[in-house]
Amino acid sequence: MSGRKEKRIRLEDLTDEEKIKYEIAEELGLLDRVMNEGWKSLSSKETGRIGGLMTKKKREIKEN
């Protein structure tokens, strides 16, 4: 065993903002890496892309 604790994400426990973050990570094909290695495994370019898309999505939600 690796000694690494497996952390399950429960969607019902996430805030709306966190749900958007996970959805975008999945859309970009990064969710598996996030789930296995954590958010720190992403490059600054990848996290910036997620942040930019989160901002865009939140703006669209606010306008509707």
Side-chain angles (χ1 to χ4, degrees):
M1 293 204 129
S2 66
R4 190 167 197 160
K5 202 174 189 182
E6 188 173 320
K7 188 177 179 184
R8 291 271 178 213
I9 302 300
R10 295 176 39 156
L11 289 178
E12 61 271 9
D13 293 340
L14 298 176
T15 65
D16 289 341
E17 190 168 308
E18 289 172 323
K19 287 177 186 176
I20 292 170
K21 185 176 174 181
Y22 280 94
E23 288 171 11
I24 292 171
E26 183 175 30
E27 289 170 11
L28 296 176
L30 300 171
L31 187 59
D32 286 339
R33 186 162 22 133
V34 168
M35 299 304 285
N36 292 326
E37 302 172 33
W39 291 103
K40 291 182 178 182
S41 67
L42 302 180
S43 70
S44 58
K45 183 178 181 180
E46 292 166 331
T47 56
R49 182 76 177 131
I50 290 171
L53 291 171
M54 284 179 65
T55 302
K56 181 179 177 184
K57 195 168 218 172
K58 286 193 286 186
R59 192 176 298 137
E60 289 172 355
I61 290 169
K62 191 176 182 179
E63 289 175 358
N64 291 335

